[in-house]
Amino acid sequence: MSKYSKIGLFLFIFLGSIFFFFFKNYLYGYILFFLSLIPIFFIFRNEFLLLAFFKIRRKDMIGLKKYLGYVKNPKLQLTKNQISYYYFLNGILYSENNIFKSENYMQKALDLGLKLKQNIAIAKLNLAIASLSKGNKKRAEFLLLEAKKMDISGLLYDQIKIIKIQIKKINIGNVNRPNPHVRKKF
């Protein structure tokens, strides 16, 4: 349901409550007034994104994909802040299977503006992993440093430590390999 149809539903129910207040039927007026607040709540908190967050807490990626699939047109159905979290959830969904698709979604989420520092840290950690898989170590180290700054609660400490170890392994591998362009002396 688009946000404009939710506004229309709110107005319809709200006008019904005014109608009941006008004819001094206060019980139905109050009931309809409180029912009219439900569509307003779902304008600012999309129901499918809320269900997707519940699925991600349970680590149910199939359910996450199902509820994100209900959002057909994010620009029409979601507000700007919700669009960033829609892309963030898609980035998490594809982080296990397709890291490059996840990178695109996480970058869009950061560009649109995630609010919570922990979510920004998760997005930057995923971008660091994608940069490392592309071979861009400097960008990966920079993103890892930013993720470490944003992770104020320390939830990503172990993951950041693992990625740092991976970066060191890649550097060690390059140092021990001889340069193929240098001629051997006889």
Side-chain angles (χ1 to χ4, degrees):
M1 181 181 276
S2 73
K3 55 188 170 186
Y4 302 114
S5 60
K6 290 176 188 175
I7 291 172
L9 182 63
F10 160 74
L11 289 174
F12 180 72
I13 297 172
F14 186 70
L15 290 175
S17 71
I18 290 174
F19 175 77
F20 281 115
F21 280 127
F22 185 72
F23 287 108
K24 298 184 182 187
N25 195 344
Y26 297 114
L27 177 67
Y28 290 126
Y30 283 121
I31 290 172
L32 284 179
F33 175 73
F34 288 118
L35 285 176
S36 70
L37 297 178
I38 293 172
I40 292 297
F41 173 75
F42 283 128
I43 287 173
F44 298 107
R45 302 283 183 235
N46 187 281
E47 60 272 13
F48 298 121
L49 289 182
L50 289 174
L51 291 171
F53 274 113
F54 286 132
K55 290 296 181 180
I56 209 163
R57 287 180 99 188
R58 294 188 179 137
K59 298 179 181 173
D60 181 14
M61 293 300 176
I62 296 169
L64 175 66
K65 187 173 185 176
K66 174 186 166 188
Y67 288 121
L68 287 177
Y70 286 124
V71 180
K72 301 292 183 201
N73 189 354
K75 291 180 182 175
L76 184 63
Q77 288 179 297
L78 307 172
T79 61
K80 184 180 178 184
N81 188 30
Q82 291 173 349
I83 292 172
S84 66
Y85 279 97
Y86 171 76
Y87 287 133
F88 176 71
L89 288 172
N90 271 313
I92 290 174
L93 178 66
Y94 290 109
S95 65
E96 294 178 1
N97 301 333
N98 190 349
I99 192 69
F100 301 114
K101 198 171 186 180
S102 172
E103 178 186 20
N104 291 335
Y105 282 127
M106 289 294 184
Q107 190 61 49
K108 284 181 186 178
L110 285 173
D111 291 343
L112 288 173
L114 293 171
K115 297 280 183 191
L116 298 175
K117 288 186 177 184
Q118 194 64 36
N119 293 338
I120 295 171
I122 291 169
K124 292 199 180 210
L125 180 67
N126 280 338
L127 288 173
I129 292 169
S131 295
L132 189 62
S133 66
K134 286 181 178 179
N136 193 349
K137 294 177 219 164
K138 288 184 180 181
R139 184 169 187 257
E141 289 173 348
F142 176 72
L143 288 168
L144 210 57
L145 183 65
E146 286 185 0
K148 189 175 181 180
K149 287 179 186 176
M150 289 292 181
D151 186 29
I152 53 176
S153 61
L155 291 174
L156 299 175
Y157 177 76
D158 294 333
Q159 288 87 355
I160 291 172
K161 189 175 175 182
I162 290 169
I163 301 302
K164 282 185 179 179
I165 291 170
Q166 292 296 325
I167 290 174
K168 286 180 183 177
K169 283 183 180 178
I170 289 173
N171 286 339
I172 289 172
N174 290 338
V175 171
N176 292 336
R177 251 190 295 158
N179 189 347
H181 301 292
V182 176
R183 290 186 179 185
K184 293 182 181 179
K185 295 181 181 179
F186 294 104

